[in-house]
Amino acid sequence: MVSTSKIKSIDFYRKIPRDLTEASLSGAGLSILAALAMVFLFGMELSDYLSTTTSTSVVVDRSRDGDYLRIDFNLSFPALSCEFASVDVSDVLGTHRFNLTKTVRKYPIDPRLQRIGLEEFHAGSVPTIKSHGDEETGEDIFEHLGEGAAELDKKTFDVYSQQFNVLVVNFYAPWCPWSNKLKPAWEKAAKIIAERYNPEMDGRILLAKVDCTVNMDLCRSHHIQGYPSIRIFRKGNDVRDEHGQHDHESYYGDRDTESLVAFMVELVPPAVVDGKFQLEDKSSTNGTANAALKRPAPKAGGCRIEGFVRVKKVPGELMISAHSGAHSFDAANMNMTHYVGFFSFGRKTSWRSVHWANDMLPELDTNVDRLTGNIFTSEHENITHDHYLQVVKTEVITLHRKQSERIVEQYDYTAHSNMIQATSVPVVKFHYELSPMQVLVKETSKSFSHFITNLCAIIGGVFTVAGIIDSMLHNAMHVMKKVELGKQY
């Protein structure tokens, strides 16, 4: 049997009898300081335990988007009409997509970049015109045309638009090849319509034309940017709204005489005889088909383009331009000044996820869209704007409570912009190049065992150091007392 005395001999914490202990003022003061130090160090350790640390590394891109990347944008063009504004995407792999409309919206805006009305401009794609005027027959087509379409200027335009129920105007430019192809058919159609609906006696419809190289202000007031543009003005409907804008339609159908005449006949309102409407037989025309050939004309000369596109993760470009396969544009008068509302890469991240990541990792809140809020002004017309963007992805793995919101992806990019004098129709290009590498930021927390270990070290260390200091002070004071007693004797 092991005796009790032998077991007591291994006691690390041997007790001192209370009658041998002695309290002192210095010990009491030191004990208070030690307690305060332990409380302070405990708070510091608890704060460090509750906080997180981050580690940063560079790895190969492993985005959950796979091979595609989303680009969101909001661009305002004060001098580009929504009628012909086109969003095109291409890349180095040979992908070309023109006039994207499914995920892109267009809104007319005024020169102050304010939206005109609340409705989206549904221009759609300009249809492919199969017939561009009458075929050449070898004979002089103008021989039997007479006067043809009425030539209008600013004064006569206002008069005729109020005189005729329907005024259909061909806004053209003499240098435009499409306008020259349309001219014979337009003149012939004007004569046929005039013979059927005498302008002087009937007054229900008139075909006219406006030379935009001579009447630039008139064409500009109706936001004509592509030639030829055929606009339909209806008496009583072509009134100015609260923004001072006209409300009328554009024609996008075939341009041969037969198609033009059939369309114009469908536009003619019923005749009124003795106060009664006299309906005409228009069974030869297709009203439903004709309705698809006309669309609302733009109410303003500017356009806001917003939406998103999905592109492959290879170098490519997103281009905004005036585009049509059946219209000409005067490059010398095209102004591509634009304001960038926002231009960003990557999937839309929930506000809560971004807020959580920025709160936990404020040093990472540097994802600034370099182009957002900037306006790029053309010093004069015929200027192409090029923006070169180099994109880098940052992936943040946080300790969010929800598993689905623990990964936050954000893209940052550098932007370099340049203006070039163009000989063709000017455009705005966003050239982008994505890095194959990504920055990985991982958030980690301290273990509870590490916290308990440090807490024990704090309490034991402070207690031990304070005890040593108290012992040294007690012994020093005891020695000083002996010295003083020795001097007295």
Side-chain angles (χ1 to χ4, degrees), residues 323-341:
H323 177 75
S324 173
H327 295 80
S328 297
F329 303 96
D330 187 0
N333 291 322
M334 295 291 292
N335 190 313
M336 298 302 289
T337 295
H338 58 284
Y339 170 80
V340 183

Side-chain angles (χ1 to χ4, degrees), residues 64 66 77 153 246 262 300 321 324 337 439:
R64 291 179 293 172
F77 294 81
D153 56 20
H246 286 280
S321 64
S324 173
T337 295
V439 179

Side-chain angles (χ1 to χ4, degrees), residues 24-46:
S24 62
L25 290 176
S26 62
L30 195 58
S31 297
I32 294 174
L33 292 177
L36 293 175
M38 284 188 284
V39 171
F40 174 74
L41 293 175
F42 170 77
M44 295 286 290
E45 183 62 24
L46 179 62

Side-chain angles (χ1 to χ4, degrees), residues 29 168 224 291 353 457:
V168 188
I224 304 299
S353 297

Side-chain angles (χ1 to χ4, degrees), residues 53-342:
T53 58
T54 59
S55 60
T56 303
S57 58
V58 178
V59 297
V60 176
D61 184 8
R62 56 178 187 181
S63 174
R64 291 179 293 172
D65 289 334
D67 296 332
Y68 290 88
L69 177 67
R70 171 170 168 155
I71 303 178
D72 288 86
F73 52 87
N74 181 304
L75 308 170
S76 297
F77 294 81
L80 176 63
S81 172
C82 289
E83 184 178 13
F84 299 111
S86 175
V87 179
D88 309 327
V89 172
S90 61
D91 59 41
V92 296
L93 296 181
T95 301
H96 298 281
R97 291 182 289 164
F98 299 100
N99 195 21
L100 303 178
T101 57
K102 187 175 181 180
T103 59
V104 177
R105 300 178 300 277
K106 304 173 186 177
Y107 299 95
I109 59 174
D110 60 22
R112 295 177 298 175
L113 306 183
Q114 300 298 317
R115 280 175 54 175
I116 303 294
L118 300 177
E119 296 183 358
E120 176 185 352
F121 183 81
H122 295 280
S125 58
V126 176
T128 301
I129 298 177
K130 300 178 181 179
S131 179
H132 299 277
D134 295 333
E135 299 294 335
E136 296 292 338
T137 61
E139 60 178 339
D140 185 3
I141 195 170
F142 295 101
E143 182 178 355
H144 306 292
L145 290 184
E147 295 183 358
E151 186 79 37
L152 304 182
D153 56 20
K154 184 173 179 56
K155 293 182 179 180
T156 56
F157 181 90
D158 294 335
V159 173
Y160 284 11
S161 62
Q162 296 301 319
Q163 180 178 349
F164 292 91
N165 291 328
V166 177
L167 177 65
V168 188
V169 183
N170 169 25
F171 294 90
Y172 71 96
W175 51 263
C176 169
W178 299 114
S179 296
N180 292 329
K181 287 184 177 182
L182 171 64
K183 183 177 179 179
W186 187 259
E187 297 292 340
K188 189 174 181 179
K191 185 176 185 299
I192 294 174
I193 293 297
E195 291 176 350
R196 186 176 301 185
Y197 306 97
N198 190 300
E200 297 182 359
M201 304 297 296
D202 192 300
R204 285 185 288 170
I205 188 170
L206 177 70
L207 270 65
K209 57 186 177 181
V210 173
D211 185 348
C212 287
T213 60
V214 177
N215 302 279
M216 291 185 290
D217 292 338
L218 177 60
C219 295
R220 191 177 295 113
S221 66
H222 292 289
H223 320 301
I224 304 299
Q225 293 185 358
Y227 309 106
S229 289
I230 301 175
R231 298 289 170 83
I232 306 164
F233 301 87
R234 302 177 188 271
K235 183 179 179 181
N237 291 335
D238 183 36
V239 295
R240 294 178 182 270
D241 58 18
E242 63 272 16
H243 300 283
Q245 305 298 324
H246 286 280
D247 184 15
H248 47 273
E249 299 168 316
S250 295
Y251 170 76
Y252 295 103
D254 289 337
R255 296 173 180 173
D256 60 282
T257 302
E258 183 179 355
S259 299
L260 290 171
V261 171
F263 180 80
M264 302 307 167
V265 169
E266 187 67 26
L267 295 177
V268 178
V272 178
V273 179
D274 296 331
K276 297 181 180 180
F277 290 104
Q278 302 295 318
L279 300 179
E280 299 181 52
D281 181 13
K282 299 181 180 180
S283 58
S284 61
T285 62
N286 191 331
T288 303
N290 282 350
L293 300 179
K294 61 179 186 294
R295 300 171 188 161
K299 294 185 177 182
C303 188
R304 177 176 299 166
I305 306 173
E306 61 182 45
F308 70 92
V309 296
R310 287 176 59 83
V311 298
K312 293 182 179 179
K313 288 186 175 180
V314 295
E317 65 180 24
L318 184 148
M319 183 172 67
I320 312 295
S321 64
H323 177 75
S324 173
H327 295 80
S328 297
F329 303 96
D330 187 0
N333 291 322
M334 295 291 292
N335 190 313
M336 298 302 289
T337 295
H338 58 284
Y339 170 80
V340 183
F342 60 80

